[in-house]
Amino acid sequence: MQTAPPDRLLGRVLEGRYRVVERLARGGMSTVYSAMDERLERPVAVKVMSSTLSADPAFADRFAREARVAAKLAHVNAVSVYDQGVDGEHVFLVMELVTGRTLRDLLRERGRLNAAQAVSIMEPVLAALAAAHRAGLVHRDVKPENILLSDDGVVKVADFGLARAIEADASSTRTGLMMGTVAYCPPEQISRGAADARSDVYSAGVVLFELLTGRAPFTGDSAMAVAYQHVHSDVPAPSRLRPDVPRALDELVLRATSREPSGRPLDAGALLAELHDVRVDLGLPVTPVPRRRAPAADLTDTQQLGRVADGHPSVPPYPPGPAGIGPDRVRTAPTRGQFRGTDTQFASPARPAASATTKPGRPGRPPLTRRQRARRRSAFWIVLVVLLGLLTGWGAWYLAVGRYKQVPSVSGQVQSAATQLLRKDGFSVNAQTEQAFSETVPVGTVLGTHPGAGAHVLGGKLIQLVVSKGPERFVVPATTNLSYQQVQAAFASIPVNLNRKDVADGTGKFASGKVMRTDPAAGAKVKRDQTVTVYVSTGPPIVTVPGVTNQVQADATATLTQAGFKVDASASDYSQKVPAGTVIAQDPAGGASEPKFSTVKLVISKGPPLVTLPRISTGTSYDDAKAQLEALGLKVQKDDSYDGGLFNRVVGMSPGAGKQVPVGSTVVLRVV
């Protein structure tokens, strides 16, 4: 026979603090261990996520964020989250260690619970969910496996926030991992993936159905079949399976499991108030969590009598009581004979015998016959029983209803007015208010109370006000010119969704990979889970370079600047064809594709090249002077107006020697 490989985590110290002692349970997504916190020297429970989930960095980030949110929830009926961490490949959560069993174990043991037991278990479950809803936290995975029953009788709800972190991971939606949860999943979570406080109300209603009937409302061969029924069918009334279920509990289950979220109680606090009213109306006692049944081999002879011949447990001869109260300590009612009695049992003390005709002290009246005395005794006992019944009824009414007062609704009032109204109705008001965010109720206005409006509580009970802090908002940090990784770090403590968009930079201010802006902008206030778009630069866009050859420098510069380019016109050259101040050439050439804001170099014409006029000696022959000037690319004009140029000798030149003139210019030679 093959043996399972040894668990490598046993004996290991996670993050140098939590020594793993024993494996408690293993599931498809995690394994739970008992461990010792060596820093605080206390036992804890460590839930280590599966390697498939832990390997995903996105899941690890989400897991850490949800664990921080869940750690803020402090309630006696919620399993406390102490810490979260990562040790190598292991992502884990450190929680309160609860010694006991799950509600699933109790259902396997007993099949179903009576109405009083079911209500007594659901009240602390809803109290924990109500505290979570007031803190803005939705459980999303309410089921018997997540409801723990400690050995000292305390009911606790586990895995707040963990369900949401696992839900975000695609690998966790496989059928094998969904099967245990889909039986309690609300229609909107199946069809749209949406969940709010009313989704937890639906799941809690399904759990109450199972407590009263011993089975879930929908079953099927696959998770898909069960999910289909949740979306397309109404949860039946529990009394259809168990006719002994009271009608008031039927109606409560049907309201809580309405397929339309608007038809359900607003949150777990509202459902808890309705459940309390049902308890009062039905007169259901508060019962402790049923204790574990002893193994059959350990039952005493008296306990063995509680089993019928076929091996199934019969109804116990007395209702389960608190720990330490057994059959030997339960008072039995008087027997019928004890109430009826005999003449000697209820007769008054012996009196002196009366005369045969009269009764002492009452002369002239005949003595009562035995039948008359019996009738008087019967009348006396009837009156006494009626009076005792009335007194008992009044006492029962007072204990069950009369001493309770209904908490008035103070929602929408300012704190001072709400306090005055509650005190007027005989309640005490806690000086410490609970603060909660609200999108619709102004700051300082009362959102509700603990216990909630309509709840029946003892007169004088301390009521705590829940006061609005106004809308919950978070400030968008400044992230301009940061990398996207730096932006993610800046948003790590803000519960928003980041949406990256890579776009070209049309301003030329941001390098590739740098954040240009966010939407909403830095400094804006955003809601929880709102989407913030982060625009990341891919560099400048690629555009076509305009052709500016043969344009005047000023016009060419304006054309290139308007197209988004920088201009470098520091280069110049002579040109006999291109006028001075005009573009001879450009680089890159016109029509090329280049990044916007890059530089285009221009070569500006200085006009034709210049030549320096040589010195022509007086008396030089005209032909020699002309040849010398033409050799320099100049044109020569003869001026013989002085005396007809008889000797054909140069006596002057214009412009004069040493002057610079463009090639091709005309030089005038004066000859005699």
Side-chain angles (χ1 to χ4, degrees):
M1 184 177 69
Q2 290 184 339
T3 59
D7 196 321
R8 293 182 297 172
L9 278 178
L10 294 178
R12 180 169 173 176
V13 180
L14 299 177
E15 285 194 342
R17 176 174 180 178
Y18 304 105
R19 182 175 298 279
V20 180
V21 177
E22 180 185 2
R23 187 171 67 197
L24 301 179
R26 170 176 287 176
M29 292 177 289
S30 63
T31 303
V32 181
Y33 299 88
S34 66
M36 176 59 67
D37 183 346
E38 297 188 338
R39 184 179 303 170
L40 299 180
E41 297 184 354
R42 65 175 175 183
V44 295
V46 176
K47 175 167 284 192
V48 181
M49 305 312 299
S50 70
S51 57
T52 303
L53 295 174
S54 301
D56 185 358
F59 168 78
D61 292 341
R62 181 107 184 182
F63 179 84
R65 185 161 65 250
E66 298 299 336
R68 286 195 296 270
V69 174
K72 297 178 181 178
L73 178 61
H75 193 275
V76 66
N77 298 118
V79 174
S80 300
V81 175
Y82 296 148
D83 193 7
Q84 65 83 26
V86 179
D87 190 308
E89 60 182 7
H90 301 294
V91 176
F92 62 90
L93 191 67
V94 182
M95 303 177 294
E96 173 187 1
L97 181 62
V98 179
T99 303
R101 54 185 167 164
T102 67
L103 183 55
R104 175 64 65 205
D105 298 329
L106 178 62
L107 288 172
R108 290 194 187 105
E109 177 185 303
R110 294 183 176 254
R112 60 173 293 222
L113 304 179
N114 61 42
Q117 292 170 333
V119 171
S120 297
I121 286 178
M122 286 305 299
E123 281 183 331
V125 171
L126 292 175
L129 293 175
H133 293 170
R134 290 193 299 270
L137 183 64
V138 180
H139 190 286
R140 299 170 185 250
D141 196 22
V142 179
K143 57 185 178 181
E145 288 79 1
N146 283 338
I147 299 172
L148 309 183
L149 311 176
S150 71
D151 286 340
D152 55 2
V154 179
V155 179
K156 289 182 175 285
V157 181
D159 282 357
F160 279 100
L162 184 59
R164 182 176 178 184
I166 293 176
E167 186 182 70
D169 182 72
S171 65
S172 69
T173 60
R174 293 172 295 168
T175 301
L177 300 183
M178 284 181 58
M179 195 63 180
T181 298
V182 74
Y184 308 89
C185 207
E188 67 272 13
Q189 195 168 346
I190 295 172
S191 59
R192 304 192 303 273
D196 58 14
R198 296 170 298 182
S199 304
D200 286 349
V201 168
Y202 182 95
S203 301
V206 176
V207 173
L208 179 56
F209 179 98
E210 187 169 0
L211 293 180
L212 295 170
T213 64
R215 50 157 288 184
F218 301 125
T219 58
D221 296 332
S222 66
M224 188 63 69
V226 177
Y228 182 88
Q229 295 178 72
H230 276 287
V231 174
H232 297 285
S233 302
D234 292 325
V235 172
S239 62
R240 291 179 57 183
L241 278 71
R242 301 289 182 176
D244 59 335
V245 174
R247 181 178 180 83
L249 284 175
D250 265 355
E251 294 174 350
L252 184 63
V253 169
L254 294 180
R255 281 199 303 276
T257 58
S258 170
R259 280 190 288 165
E260 286 297 327
S262 59
R264 306 172 201 156
L266 185 61
D267 56 18
L271 181 59
L272 176 60
E274 293 189 24
L275 185 64
H276 179 80
D277 289 343
V278 170
R279 175 193 287 285
V280 173
D281 293 342
L282 297 178
L284 299 176
V286 177
T287 63
V289 174
R291 289 177 291 175
R292 303 192 199 201
R293 289 178 176 169
D298 297 335
L299 294 177
T300 65
D301 293 340
T302 303
Q303 291 169 320
Q304 290 284 5
L305 294 176
R307 297 184 177 271
V308 295
D310 62 357
H312 295 289
S314 62
V315 177
Y318 54 87
I325 299 180
D328 57 330
R329 297 185 61 187
V330 176
R331 276 189 166 180
T332 57
T335 64
R336 188 174 181 181
Q338 287 175 304
F339 277 116
R340 182 181 302 162
T342 63
D343 288 343
T344 57
Q345 282 179 304
F346 292 96
S348 57
R351 295 178 180 174
S355 66
T357 59
T358 62
K359 195 172 182 180
R362 293 185 180 179
R365 294 189 62 180
L368 297 175
T369 65
R370 183 175 180 179
R371 183 185 296 271
Q372 288 174 326
R373 289 197 302 270
R375 287 177 177 175
R376 286 197 174 189
R377 280 197 302 269
S378 297
F380 169 78
W381 287 114
I382 290 173
V383 172
L384 181 60
V385 169
V386 170
L387 290 175
L388 288 175
L390 292 174
L391 183 60
T392 302
W394 180 87
W397 171 85
Y398 176 76
L399 291 176
V401 179
R403 60 178 179 161
Y404 291 92
K405 292 187 176 182
Q406 189 173 28
V407 178
S409 175
V410 293
S411 300
Q413 299 189 26
V414 296
Q415 184 176 341
S416 58
T419 301
Q420 184 177 1
L421 178 59
L422 289 169
R423 288 175 177 169
K424 182 180 179 181
D425 283 2
F427 296 101
S428 300
V429 180
N430 194 336
Q432 299 295 326
T433 62
E434 179 179 328
Q435 305 291 316
F437 292 106
S438 174
E439 293 292 326
T440 57
V441 179
V443 177
T445 303
V446 175
L447 290 171
T449 57
H450 299 311
H456 291 81
V457 298
L458 291 173
K461 182 176 177 63
L462 189 65
I463 305 296
Q464 185 179 33
L465 295 175
V466 182
V467 180
S468 172
K469 294 196 292 185
E472 182 184 29
R473 293 293 183 268
F474 302 90
V475 178
V476 177
T479 56
T480 303
N481 265 326
L482 298 181
S483 67
Y484 187 71
Q485 290 73 21
Q486 291 173 318
V487 171
Q488 288 178 309
F491 277 91
S493 61
I494 302 176
V496 297
N497 301 313
L498 296 182
N499 177 32
R500 173 173 177 164
K501 280 194 176 181
D502 295 318
V503 295
D505 172 25
T507 65
K509 298 178 181 178
F510 303 97
S512 178
K514 296 296 183 180
V515 173
M516 298 185 293
R517 68 183 188 280
T518 58
D519 183 20
K525 295 182 178 180
V526 295
K527 301 178 182 179
R528 177 181 293 271
D529 294 329
Q530 183 173 336
T531 298
V532 176
T533 303
V534 181
Y535 293 90
V536 182
S537 171
T538 58
I542 303 300
V543 296
T544 301
V545 180
V548 294
T549 304
N550 291 323
Q551 290 186 15
V552 177
Q553 179 180 350
D555 295 341
T557 300
T559 299
L560 292 171
T561 301
Q562 289 177 0
F565 292 95
K566 299 176 183 177
V567 179
D568 179 5
S570 59
S572 61
D573 198 2
Y574 293 104
S575 174
Q576 290 182 331
K577 298 180 179 180
V578 180
T582 302
V583 177
I584 301 175
Q586 67 179 83
D587 183 25
S593 296
E594 296 292 333
K596 194 175 182 179
F597 310 115
S598 58
T599 300
V600 178
K601 295 182 178 181
L602 302 179
V603 179
I604 307 302
S605 173
K606 295 192 292 186
L610 300 177
V611 294
T612 303
L613 293 176
R615 180 175 297 278
I616 304 297
S617 300
T618 301
T620 303
S621 70
Y622 170 77
D623 294 333
D624 291 342
K626 179 180 179 183
Q628 186 178 354
L629 292 173
E630 287 179 345
L632 295 175
L634 300 173
K635 298 177 182 179
V636 179
Q637 180 179 345
K638 184 176 182 181
D639 179 11
D640 56 357
S641 60
Y642 183 66
D643 58 359
L646 179 64
F647 299 102
N648 203 30
R649 297 292 179 177
V650 175
V651 294
M653 181 177 64
S654 179
K659 298 287 186 181
Q660 286 188 327
V661 296
V663 173
S665 298
T666 299
V667 178
V668 177
L669 293 177
R670 293 192 299 275
V671 297
V672 293

